[in-house]
Amino acid sequence: MQHLPDIHRMASNARSAPVVVVGAGMAGLTTALMLAEAGCRVTVVEKSARPGGKLRELGVGGQMIDSGPTVFTMRWVFEAIFASVGERLADHVRLTKADILARHSWQDGSTFDLHADVEQTADAVGRFAGADEALGYRAFCGRTAEVFASLNQSFMENPAPSPIGLALSAGVGGLAALSRIKPFTSLWNVVGDYFRDPRLRQLFGRYATYCGSSPFSAPGPLMLIAQVEQMGVWLVEGGMARLADAFEGLAIARGVEFVYGADVAKVSVRDHRATGVELASGQKLPAEAVVFNGDPAAIFSGLLGEAARSAVPAWRPADRSLSALTWSVHGQARGFPLSRHTVFFSKDYKREFEDLLGHGQLPQDPTIYVCAQDRDTTDEHAAPGTERLFLLVNAPAQADSRTLSKTEIASCEKRVTARLEQAGLTLSVSPENRVVTTPSDFNTLFPGTGGALYGRSSHGWAASFQRPGSRTRIKGLYLAGGAVHPGPGLPMAALSGRHAATAILRDLASTVSFHPMAMPGGMSTRSAATDSAH
């Protein structure tokens, strides 16, 4: 388990400061929970009716279906956050470790299961593609482990990494390791160093899409995602949204106030310092710190007021990550033996990304991800009756400039259906038991993004260092979420929330003199001025 800064010790130099968190996504929930534990008075403002942000579930056919992130990894990140507030993750969320990470299907009829166990997968690779590919897989695993070890503390755990700082922290011996992570080589080419079989190259190159990027442009270090998955993919009992519920419950127990169904019209700024937020209703919430748990694109596009626009640098729409077209359905799946996570690959991966990023259109031959939420990862047979399914294909993030037409969406759906039937999978779903979410819908859910789901794309070696950190150019205004450092995904968003909470506590402690008071749930604080009023 990783060790976090002692927030109770930090709180001994802080006061019960009012903080407003805009957005109840995973990062916002983490920030709110840690700040409340430290004694801050936290209000979370969320425009939807429940917590979770992109960690959302949709009601379809009387069932709740995970319709956002479906993979839970880096369990230790959440265990450490829970431990920092005196709780155990296992007491609040029930997790089961997956044996099969994902099942994969190609148009030549071949299939392959990626296992959590390296040796089991290596044996499967040997049977699938030959002994040389099995050796390549073992070498790939060794390198991904090295990449993860090189970047976990120095980059992901570092609230403000830089290329120079990364090199300096590595030391003489570490520089050799850093050179082997191939930052200037595309993930596609790095994967090609280990695998000659085009199917395996496609499988491991797909990790670039975990951050909404192309494997032909994303840098080699993204191979570390393979190591993260080998360290454990977990199934959340009751669905992924139970994680958000757990965070919300712990935060409420520590005094956090959640305001749902409320839009923030602007961040109030005076003398180049954030002083609170103003809701669309006209209500004003003063604060000594404001945390924006959303895409920074909403700030620099002026959606949180003109005064806040200068807080973060702008980036071009061309720098956005991918969006998605998804189907949340409740129906029957027959034929192909789905696992919990199944990927149906396109025939020409390069053409797929040329369609997405070069032509700004839905792929003519898309790769399709299917999450069969009612199956564990060992199921070989179709579930009886109906089941919950979530289907996703990548889409361009241009919803603020060009909306996909109904004809384009219907045409893509036909291609998806045909591809699945080619693999032997037949879906029987009535119209009332399906919900389609388009890039335009995602742009509405996450304003200013054009539908991009991962902030900036991770294209080029410098992209990861160009994501903003928790502090902004405006004092008292902080960022958290998958669009800021260290990047997209549930554990990364949680880390960003931890970075934001730590930055706020340190900044408060550096500007005001406080003294500690014992409070239920841990050491809390109040200012002398507050004490004298009671």
Side-chain angles (χ1 to χ4, degrees):
M1 181 182 294
Q2 65 185 157
H3 298 284
L4 303 189
D6 186 342
I7 57 176
H8 297 131
R9 180 179 56 79
M10 296 173 68
S12 67
N13 291 320
R15 58 177 167 166
S16 184
V19 178
V20 172
V21 177
V22 181
M26 182 50 57
L29 291 169
T30 300
T31 307
L33 175 60
M34 294 185 69
L35 289 179
E37 178 72 12
C40 294
R41 292 183 289 113
V42 184
T43 301
V44 178
V45 182
E46 169 58 52
K47 69 176 182 178
S48 70
R50 56 158 291 118
K54 293 186 177 72
L55 189 65
R56 66 192 191 116
E57 57 182 0
L58 297 178
V60 182
Q63 300 289 323
M64 301 305 293
I65 301 177
D66 283 338
S67 300
T70 56
V71 178
F72 184 89
T73 59
M74 297 178 68
R75 175 176 176 164
W76 64 87
V77 169
F78 300 95
E79 288 178 332
I81 292 171
F82 274 61
S84 74
V85 299
E87 303 282 348
R88 294 175 66 251
L89 175 66
D91 292 337
H92 300 275
V93 182
R94 296 192 64 180
L95 301 172
T96 303
K97 192 173 184 179
D99 295 320
I100 298 175
L101 303 182
R103 182 160 294 159
H104 305 83
S105 168
W106 288 268
Q107 294 188 28
D108 64 1
S110 60
T111 60
F112 177 78
D113 286 351
L114 186 67
H115 296 269
D117 182 78
V118 171
E119 287 305 313
Q120 190 175 2
T121 298
D123 290 342
V125 168
R127 294 190 298 271
F128 180 74
D132 287 346
E133 296 297 271
L135 289 174
Y137 173 72
R138 288 188 173 93
F140 179 73
C141 289
R143 185 52 48 84
T144 59
E146 183 180 27
V147 172
F148 179 83
S150 297
L151 296 180
N152 184 36
Q153 293 294 327
S154 63
F155 181 78
M156 291 184 286
E157 295 285 340
N158 188 332
S162 69
I164 295 176
L166 201 64
L168 292 175
S169 66
V172 176
L175 286 176
L178 286 177
S179 69
R180 291 194 293 270
I181 72 176
K182 298 292 186 72
F184 307 112
T185 305
S186 73
L187 178 62
W188 186 258
N189 287 338
V190 168
V191 169
D193 291 340
Y194 299 91
F195 304 103
R196 292 184 179 275
D197 190 296
R199 298 167 300 178
L200 294 176
R201 196 172 182 181
Q202 195 173 25
L203 189 160
F204 292 106
R206 179 176 168 268
Y207 284 125
T209 65
Y210 282 38
C211 53
S213 304
S214 163
F216 303 96
S217 301
L222 284 181
M223 72 173 89
L224 67 80
I225 298 174
Q227 173 65 17
V228 166
E229 287 197 338
Q230 287 166 8
M231 296 169 78
V233 171
W234 305 84
L235 311 180
V236 181
E237 184 176 301
M240 297 290 286
R242 304 293 76 77
L243 186 64
D245 292 340
F247 270 83
E248 180 199 42
L250 292 177
I252 290 174
R254 286 155 178 77
V256 176
E257 179 183 2
F258 285 83
V259 181
Y260 291 110
D263 276 315
V264 173
K266 69 176 184 179
V267 174
S268 302
V269 179
R270 185 173 64 247
D271 297 329
H272 207 64
R273 183 179 184 86
T275 59
V277 302
E278 182 175 330
L279 306 185
S281 64
Q283 181 182 1
K284 296 181 179 180
L285 301 177
E288 293 192 26
V290 174
V291 183
F292 180 63
N293 173 205
D295 199 306
I299 295 179
F300 64 66
S301 61
L303 296 179
L304 291 179
E306 287 298 316
R309 291 187 70 163
S310 63
V312 295
W315 61 72
R316 306 170 303 160
D319 294 329
R320 290 171 176 164
S321 64
L322 294 170
S323 185
L325 178 62
T326 72
W327 296 266
S328 304
V329 303
H330 185 224
Q332 287 186 320
R334 294 187 292 268
F336 184 93
L338 292 170
S339 184
R340 180 64 164 253
H341 307 290
T342 306
V343 180
F344 298 86
F345 278 113
S346 62
K347 187 174 183 179
D348 188 339
Y349 218 29
K350 190 167 187 179
R351 170 66 184 276
E352 180 177 354
F353 285 95
E354 286 175 351
D355 285 345
L356 288 164
L357 300 174
H359 306 299
Q361 65 185 27
L362 291 169
Q364 291 299 307
D365 180 17
T367 292
I368 307 156
Y369 166 73
V370 180
C371 175
Q373 189 176 334
D374 293 314
R375 306 187 187 212
D376 65 29
T377 59
T378 61
D379 283 339
E380 293 291 339
H381 306 288
T386 57
E387 59 182 308
R388 296 170 293 172
L389 302 169
F390 176 65
L391 292 77
L392 178 150
V393 300
N394 291 314
Q398 302 174 343
D400 50 354
S401 60
R402 190 181 83 81
T403 301
L404 293 175
S405 68
K406 292 182 179 180
T407 301
E408 289 176 290
I409 294 171
S411 178
C412 183
E413 186 167 339
K414 288 181 180 179
R415 296 194 295 273
V416 167
T417 300
R419 170 68 183 95
L420 296 179
E421 290 180 345
Q422 178 196 38
L425 178 62
T426 300
L427 301 181
S428 299
V429 182
S430 59
E432 66 271 17
N433 286 343
R434 61 192 291 275
V435 173
V436 181
T437 306
T438 69
S440 293
D441 297 322
F442 285 121
N443 187 50
T444 299
L445 289 169
F446 314 114
T449 64
L453 295 174
Y454 314 90
R456 290 184 68 124
S457 65
S458 296
H459 292 161
W461 71 271
S464 295
F465 297 101
Q466 292 169 338
R467 289 182 181 272
S470 55
R471 291 185 175 91
T472 73
R473 296 168 179 169
I474 294 178
K475 291 183 178 180
L477 177 58
Y478 302 82
L479 303 176
V484 304
H485 174 72
L490 286 180
M492 299 299 153
L495 282 174
S496 78
R498 190 198 87 185
H499 290 329
T502 302
I504 290 169
L505 291 174
R506 285 175 175 162
D507 291 349
L508 288 174
S510 69
T511 57
V512 186
S513 296
F514 309 96
H515 65 272
M517 267 189 77
M519 297 288 284
M523 182 70 73
S524 184
T525 59
R526 281 179 166 177
S527 68
T530 304
D531 288 342
S532 65
H534 291 274

